[in-house]
Amino acid sequence: MVSQRVVATFHLPREWLGALPDLADFVEWGSGEPAPRDWLLKEVGEADGLLCTVTDRVDEEILRAARRLRVISTYSVGYDHIDVGAARARGIRVGYTPDVLTDATADLAFALMLAVSRRVVEGDRLIRSGGWRIPWSATFMLGSEVHGRTIGIIGMGRIGRAIARRAAGFDMKILYNSRTPKPDVAAEYAPLDALLPRSDFVVLAVDLNPSTYHMVDYGFLRRMKRSAYLVNVSRGKVIVERDLIRALEEGIIAGAALDVFEDEPIGADHPLARMNNVVLTPHIGSATVETRRRMAEVAVENLLRGLR
Ligand code: NAP
């Protein structure tokens, strides 16, 4: 198989790649930055396999340049960055990494819920800036509770279900919305109009598709409780960010905790980064050693199967 060329748009530790570098003519974009478009357009020209990730837009132009490509393996469960229809029309297989990152992402959703409602990051910032002066007060840094509250999960897929399992452990009332009801899930299906006014935490776990693009706009946020928090571990483009900023400024909702953004990365000058009732993480839903290693195993296996 060594005559086959595999192009990787990002670096993975050598020991996570298994036999791939020995089995194929393996080329990778080694810098930590996303692979430049020009580099990808050039390298994909002779590639039989492409190992890519969420920062690569694999569209018609890339596929046109990819004269020999037989398989695209993305190191992610989301595949909204790939024109799957155009790949299919060319007979190119597409692989992704579902399941192995589900629990890590659900863990982060809970970390965000707890952090924003119990003011964990705000408290940490307060201490580091020398602002903790009175040792204890009955009304100091009061947050709101997670256990026993109502969670509204939008997107009851793999990650949504894993969030629901955790919510059950916190004795939460679980509402959910997805395109189709899931009779096997121990939770109450609710249309958005019923879910939003009842939920203390609205957690987004949908995939990005035409029906979820900009799903969360000002009108959506207006239907939430003023005391509620919005948590997003799905994709940034599910939210109209300027509407969220406006809603937070106006006190339409209590706060937000976000792992993903409309345009990544965001900087310290971003309006969300200046809000105390917002917790931000840099797209790290699946970022644990164990999960990233398992994702590599699946992505490499998908690639090798596609080549075979
Ligand atoms: P999944 O199993 O495909 O679940 C997606 C869910 O979204 C499905 O239940 C689907 O409903 C629902 N959905 C789609 N469109 C909807 C709509 N218009 N209204 C309501 N629900 C809708 O995917 P997953 O494995 O759970 O992953 C979900 C997404 O999380 C991924 O696509 C990815 O973008 C994101 N993600 C982010 C990170 C991170 O680092 N933050 C990590 C992993 C994944 P039906 O079942 O009824 O079709």
Side-chain angles (χ1 to χ4, degrees):
M1 203 152 87
V2 179
S3 59
Q4 306 213 46
R5 190 173 177 84
V6 170
V7 171
T9 60
F10 61 101
H11 172 74
L12 282 173
R14 176 67 184 78
E15 65 273 22
W16 294 5
L17 286 170
L20 180 63
D22 302 326
L23 289 174
D25 171 16
F26 183 71
V27 181
E28 73 168 18
W29 175 254
S31 123
E33 299 281 317
R37 184 92 183 155
D38 289 352
W39 179 87
L40 182 54
L41 275 168
K42 180 169 139 302
E43 291 297 339
V44 85
E46 299 304 319
D48 302 285
L50 174 65
L51 184 59
C52 65
T53 189
V54 292
T55 45
D56 306 304
R57 195 162 36 85
V58 183
D59 55 11
E60 185 66 45
E61 186 189 22
I62 296 284
L63 295 175
R64 218 179 306 121
R67 296 179 291 275
R68 293 171 31 174
L69 197 63
R70 302 221 316 276
V71 55
I72 300 165
S73 172
T74 184
Y75 187 72
S76 61
V77 64
Y79 48 83
D80 47 275
H81 54 293
I82 300 171
D83 188 338
V84 176
R88 188 183 293 131
R90 289 176 160 81
I92 300 169
R93 286 161 190 260
V94 179
Y96 68 143
T97 63
D99 301 317
V100 292
L101 46 58
T102 296
D103 283 304
T105 309
D107 283 351
L108 187 78
F110 252 80
L112 290 174
M113 282 169 59
L114 290 160
V116 72
S117 65
R118 295 305 308 273
R119 306 174 67 174
V120 172
V121 182
E122 206 186 329
D124 180 90
R125 265 197 306 267
L126 183 86
I127 293 180
R128 289 173 198 268
S129 67
W132 186 22
R133 299 208 178 84
I134 301 163
W136 192 89
S137 142
T139 53
F140 178 55
M141 283 211 83
L142 301 187
S144 59
E145 304 197 330
V146 173
H147 73 272
R149 308 302 290 278
T150 298
I151 184 172
I153 302 171
I154 304 183
M156 191 47 86
R158 289 170 288 255
I159 294 170
R161 286 165 189 260
I163 294 170
R165 288 196 293 275
R166 284 156 180 75
F170 276 73
D171 293 329
M172 298 183 88
K173 164 83 187 163
I174 307 168
L175 306 176
Y176 76 95
N177 181 265
S178 54
R179 284 178 295 208
T180 51
K182 315 291 178 201
D184 59 314
V185 175
E188 182 183 331
Y189 177 82
L192 283 188
D193 276 339
L195 179 148
L196 295 177
R198 287 173 64 195
S199 300
D200 300 301
F201 296 88
V202 172
V203 182
L204 304 173
V206 291
D207 56 299
L208 179 62
N209 64 53
S211 72
T212 58
Y213 175 79
H214 279 183
M215 166 193 250
V216 180
D217 57 10
Y218 193 69
F220 178 109
L221 296 160
R222 283 284 299 260
R223 285 182 280 164
M224 287 172 60
K225 288 184 181 183
R226 288 186 93 87
S227 56
Y229 297 93
L230 179 72
V231 177
N232 190 11
V233 292
S234 63
R235 282 287 180 269
K237 288 182 169 57
V238 173
I239 298 178
V240 183
E241 226 160 66
R242 63 171 183 282
D243 287 7
L244 174 60
I245 291 162
R246 180 179 161 203
L248 288 164
E249 283 168 352
E250 293 174 354
I252 297 292
I253 61 170
L258 312 167
D259 184 48
V260 286
F261 305 89
E262 278 204 75
D263 284 307
E264 298 173 0
I266 63 166
D269 55 343
H270 195 284
L272 289 168
R274 293 200 286 266
M275 296 179 174
N276 247 346
N277 55 344
V278 174
V279 171
L280 308 168
T281 50
H283 202 148
I284 55 168
S286 65
T288 68
V289 177
E290 299 84 350
T291 289
R292 287 286 166 86
R293 186 187 278 270
R294 282 195 295 268
M295 285 168 67
E297 284 165 13
V298 174
V300 167
E301 183 57 26
N302 287 343
L303 194 82
L304 293 175
R305 279 170 190 253
L307 291 177
R308 284 200 292 269

